[in-house]
Amino acid sequence: MSIKVRTVERKGRTFLEQLYLVEIAKGMTVTLGHFFRNLLDNSRLYVRHYPEVQPEISARWRGRHRLTKHEDGSVKCVACFMCQTNCPSNCIMIEAGERLDGRSEKMPTRFDIDLLECIYCGYCVEACPMDAIRMDTGIFSVTSYSRESMVLGLEDLLETPGAFDEAEYKKGGG
Amino acid sequence: MSALDILLVILRIAFGAFVPLSFVAVLVWMERRGAAFFQDRAGPNRANVLGFRAGGLIQNAADGIKLAFKEDIVPGHVKHKFYFILAPMLVFITALLCFAVIPFADVLVLGDKHYIMQAVPMDIGILWFLAVVGFGVYGIILAGWSSHNKYGMLGGLRAAAQVISYEIPMGLALVSLLAVYGTVNLTEMAQFQGKLLFGFIPMWGVVLQPLGVIIFIVAAFAETNRTPFDLAEGESEIVAGFHVEYSAMKFALFFMGEYVAMFVSSALIVTLYFGSFQIPWLNTETLVANARPLVILIMIGLPVIGYFFGAWIKKNNRSHYYRENDPRKKETAVYISLLWSLVAVTEIVLLAYLVFAHGGVADRILVALLQIGTFLFKTFLMCFVYVWVRWTLPRFRYDQLQKIGWEKLLPLALLNIFITSAIIVSFG
């Protein structure tokens, strides 16, 4: 059994190509074509006019986090610490408290996510056994003027609604 | 000296000083919008004053104001503050001084007096340019050295080596050009290019020296440190090269110096090879003799150009997405009314010329203005070539750069001298 040898043709070694000028002229024709196409009709530019035109986000996009709720409005999270344990950048801080509504024994009294630390890997979503934390808010631009406001608390996370309906989210493989 | 003399001196110096400066704004704008269009992007289109964006020109004003108000840092490790501050000035001033000898119109004859239309009317012309442009690299070397930074140092070294290698082919390309023109005076060169070869081809440098023009343009690109020869900056390799330690207005001076240098070398390429201020087939005397029909032609042509320009503005200056009461439509209406009032004013001035002032001095001044327009237009196109090349070609590797300079351009320039002198000696 012999090794299959494939000879790759070296390009760019002919005299005309070594002269550069012809090839440069060719390249410049191409760019000039683009220039005049865009100059004469700038609606043909390959750009999205952000922020007026927002990009379409798929259900699988890992955006800013939120905490989900039961139908009656109570927190789904049972403070099992799975997400916090799984988090590679240690951005989740949970403090558990006693739960009195009979759904389970524990619930979070504090649930902070430091968005400056977060790397948006989605491991917390995968680790959660209760489907309590999701990254389906569709918020992709997280900016602020202060470090403090980048730490989200329990209230902020519960307030934000999801951007997709349930069926779409499930189809997305979440 | 009469009052007229003094007025013309002031006008010429003002032209020599302010035209390159105002072209900086135009060129920065052209570079950014041009780059965007070459790459299918939009370029700066948000900065505005009261909703007027002037096609992106307002962005320049915003950048200028930002740079002027930024903190001007001289890093603590800089030992020679004097040279550190001197360097950007040197780059800028030498670039500006080069323009002083470039003629922007033919010799203006008013009565029995002749005015050479250069900021500094002197005979040495091209020699002044070579002397001053070579001095510009000292600014870059000084900046690199006094930054006390390895990237700055490398940038300065690269610039020095590059300019030295490319000044030789550039000088040699000029030698054969000087042999053709038989003068170093740039105004005389420009007048020479008003003649016709075989009676129908304009005798421009590019026709007489097809090889020389390629060598000269390549060397001029290297001299101005522009892509594909911008190794002195090489942001992917040495961050920003010589100006890595500069901030605020000192950086702005480097930046403006680069664009002034680009403008000046475009102006020189136009002067030497593309007929300077000459309109093809119409030299100064023909223009003066046929001033009236020419003015009538312009008066007919202006509204036509205005119509197409207006249509172009209307088509492109609008939002390309749904927007209630599109403010850009209002902006467009203002631009178009400005355009038409400009056309109307020009028409009125030309009409006044036709009715009251044609003949003699007025013709001369009109022709001079036309030639200034032609010169600036040609220079603008050449600057566009600079931008065009920058956004088409990648940067050369350093050894390739030196190889092209010494092994290709130098022998070619010598060959060009040989051919040129053989032709001149045999045909006279």
Side-chain angles (χ1 to χ4, degrees):
Chain A
M1 203 179 89
S2 62
I3 302 167
K4 213 174 174 185
V5 177
R6 198 162 143 239
T7 317
V8 178
E9 188 196 345
R10 291 265 168 216
K11 293 195 173 164
R13 290 275 154 204
T14 61
F15 174 73
L16 269 183
E17 282 163 338
Q18 287 285 292
L19 205 62
Y20 292 129
L21 291 173
V22 181
E23 298 299 310
I24 286 175
K26 278 187 198 166
M28 285 174 72
T29 322
V30 171
T31 46
L32 194 69
H34 280 259
F35 178 80
F36 275 112
R37 196 197 63 157
N38 297 325
L39 184 74
L40 295 179
D41 183 4
N42 67 11
S43 64
R44 297 176 69 177
L45 295 168
Y46 297 125
V47 290
R48 172 181 292 123
H49 295 273
Y50 185 83
E52 288 88 356
V53 182
Q54 292 279 339
E56 282 173 26
I57 301 237
S58 100
R60 299 184 65 164
W61 172 270
R62 295 197 294 269
R64 217 204 71 190
H65 322 66
R66 73 178 177 113
L67 287 179
T68 53
K69 293 182 233 177
H70 290 291
E71 277 85 48
D72 60 358
S74 58
V75 190
K76 266 193 190 174
C77 179
V78 294
C80 65
F81 287 80
M82 288 282 245
C83 51
Q84 184 176 344
T85 317
N86 225 13
C87 183
S89 55
N90 294 329
C91 67
I92 305 179
M93 285 143 284
I94 305 174
E95 267 173 29
E98 197 175 346
R99 188 159 196 160
L100 300 168
D101 60 3
R103 280 189 185 276
S104 63
E105 288 162 14
K106 286 201 292 180
M107 65 180 289
T109 54
R110 189 180 145 218
F111 196 113
D112 289 352
I113 296 181
D114 189 347
L115 292 174
L116 290 173
E117 296 283 340
C118 181
I119 58 169
Y120 297 91
C121 62
Y123 284 5
C124 49
V125 181
E126 286 182 32
C128 185
M130 301 301 292
D131 195 16
I133 185 166
R134 284 186 182 181
M135 298 176 85
D136 66 344
T137 52
I139 299 172
F140 56 88
S141 167
V142 185
T143 51
S144 172
Y145 283 107
S146 66
R147 282 171 180 278
E148 292 73 37
S149 58
M150 291 297 275
V151 180
L152 290 185
L154 187 59
E155 295 306 309
D156 304 317
L157 289 167
L158 280 169
E159 262 169 27
T160 324
F164 310 98
D165 63 46
E166 202 63 25
E168 207 182 339
Y169 182 74
K170 292 285 186 218
K171 209 174 92 190
Chain B
M1 272 174 89
S2 67
L4 186 66
D5 287 352
I6 295 170
L7 178 72
L8 268 160
V9 166
I10 292 170
L11 277 183
R12 282 178 295 182
I13 291 178
F15 190 93
F18 293 123
V19 166
L21 284 180
S22 40
F23 251 80
V24 169
V26 175
L27 292 182
V28 172
W29 167 76
M30 187 161 83
E31 180 105 90
R32 302 180 79 175
R33 286 317 288 261
F37 281 169
F38 278 124
Q39 301 173 342
D40 296 335
R41 295 183 287 113
N45 62 354
R46 294 304 161 107
N48 64 67
V49 175
L50 303 173
F52 294 103
R53 305 167 301 152
L57 269 170
I58 299 297
Q59 182 74 40
N60 288 353
D63 286 346
I65 291 166
K66 178 204 135 193
L67 281 170
F69 283 96
K70 260 188 123 169
E71 188 184 357
D72 194 0
I73 301 166
V74 178
H77 67 264
V78 171
K79 289 203 187 87
H80 301 278
K81 283 213 171 75
F82 176 71
Y83 297 122
F84 187 78
I85 294 165
L86 182 69
M89 295 184 201
L90 213 55
V91 168
F92 185 70
I93 291 170
T94 50
L96 205 56
L97 273 183
C98 289
F99 189 66
V101 288
I102 291 174
F104 38 83
D106 206 349
V107 178
L108 185 61
V109 186
L110 295 179
D112 54 350
K113 284 199 170 160
H114 293 249
Y115 299 97
I116 299 170
M117 296 302 266
Q118 300 171 358
V120 181
M122 58 180 158
D123 290 332
I124 54 174
I126 190 71
L127 298 180
W128 164 278
F129 179 85
L130 283 179
V132 177
V133 84
F135 205 66
V137 75
Y138 283 87
I140 294 178
I141 298 170
L142 260 186
W145 171 76
S146 65
S147 291
H148 215 283
N149 173 311
K150 60 187 167 195
Y151 295 126
M153 191 73 215
L154 277 172
L157 280 175
R158 283 179 173 195
Q162 177 184 330
V163 170
I164 288 167
S165 350
Y166 277 80
E167 227 158 52
I168 296 165
M170 189 188 211
L172 290 178
L174 278 176
V175 165
S176 45
L177 194 74
L178 297 185
V180 170
Y181 291 150
T183 173
V184 290
N185 187 328
L186 286 169
T187 304
E188 281 173 26
M189 284 186 189
Q191 284 165 346
F192 185 92
Q193 293 180 73
K195 293 187 228 163
L196 293 177
L197 188 68
F198 308 130
F200 63 96
I201 305 171
M203 222 174 194
W204 288 6
V206 66
V207 181
L208 301 173
Q209 287 280 312
L211 187 57
V213 68
I214 292 169
I215 298 167
F216 190 85
I217 289 178
V218 172
F221 273 72
E223 284 276 326
T224 45
N225 284 319
R226 296 251 329 159
T227 332
F229 304 108
D230 65 339
L231 290 126
E233 292 181 29
E235 56 282 277
S236 55
E237 303 143 28
I238 49 173
V239 193
F242 58 91
H243 57 63
V244 68
E245 296 283 7
Y246 285 87
S247 57
M249 255 349 247
K250 286 209 278 292
F251 168 74
L253 271 187
F254 273 125
F255 192 68
M256 283 159 70
E258 190 194 319
Y259 283 97
V260 172
M262 176 174 144
F263 171 73
V264 172
S265 71
S266 306
L268 191 76
I269 291 170
V270 165
T271 309
L272 293 178
Y273 290 100
F274 292 97
S276 189
F277 47 73
Q278 303 281 5
I279 303 166
W281 296 288
L282 298 169
N283 63 20
T284 315
E285 289 316 309
T286 327
L287 281 176
V288 170
N290 299 311
R292 290 194 76 180
L294 207 71
V295 166
I296 293 168
L297 210 66
I298 293 172
M299 283 178 72
I300 296 167
L302 262 183
V304 177
I305 295 170
Y307 173 77
F308 282 109
F309 192 52
W312 177 75
I313 293 177
K314 212 173 217 165
K315 185 177 171 194
N316 290 303
N317 199 55
R318 60 188 166 87
S319 305
H320 296 298
Y321 46 88
Y322 176 73
R323 207 167 171 190
E324 237 168 274
N325 300 327
D326 192 353
R328 294 191 186 170
K329 289 237 168 81
K330 241 179 280 164
E331 197 190 354
T332 309
V334 175
Y335 290 156
I336 287 177
S337 55
L338 269 179
L339 175 74
W340 283 112
S341 40
L342 196 70
V343 169
V345 167
T346 323
E347 293 276 332
I348 289 166
V349 169
L350 289 178
L351 198 68
Y353 158 82
L354 273 184
V355 176
F356 302 114
H358 65 89
V361 175
D363 280 1
R364 294 273 170 193
I365 291 173
L366 181 89
V367 169
L369 288 178
L370 258 182
Q371 287 179 334
I372 289 175
T374 316
F375 172 75
L376 289 181
F377 179 68
K378 282 181 185 174
T379 310
F380 184 81
L381 286 188
M382 197 61 221
C383 291
F384 176 75
V385 173
Y386 268 81
V387 173
W388 179 15
V389 166
R390 173 164 182 186
W391 300 103
T392 304
L393 299 183
R395 190 179 295 131
F396 277 113
R397 212 168 55 214
Y398 194 69
D399 61 316
Q400 290 173 331
L401 172 101
Q402 294 292 4
K403 215 170 183 171
I404 289 172
W406 291 101
E407 289 182 10
K408 295 198 171 155
L409 287 185
L410 183 61
L412 272 180
L414 288 172
L415 179 73
N416 191 32
I417 292 179
F418 178 74
I419 296 171
T420 312
S421 44
I423 290 173
I424 287 173
V425 167
S426 45
F427 296 104

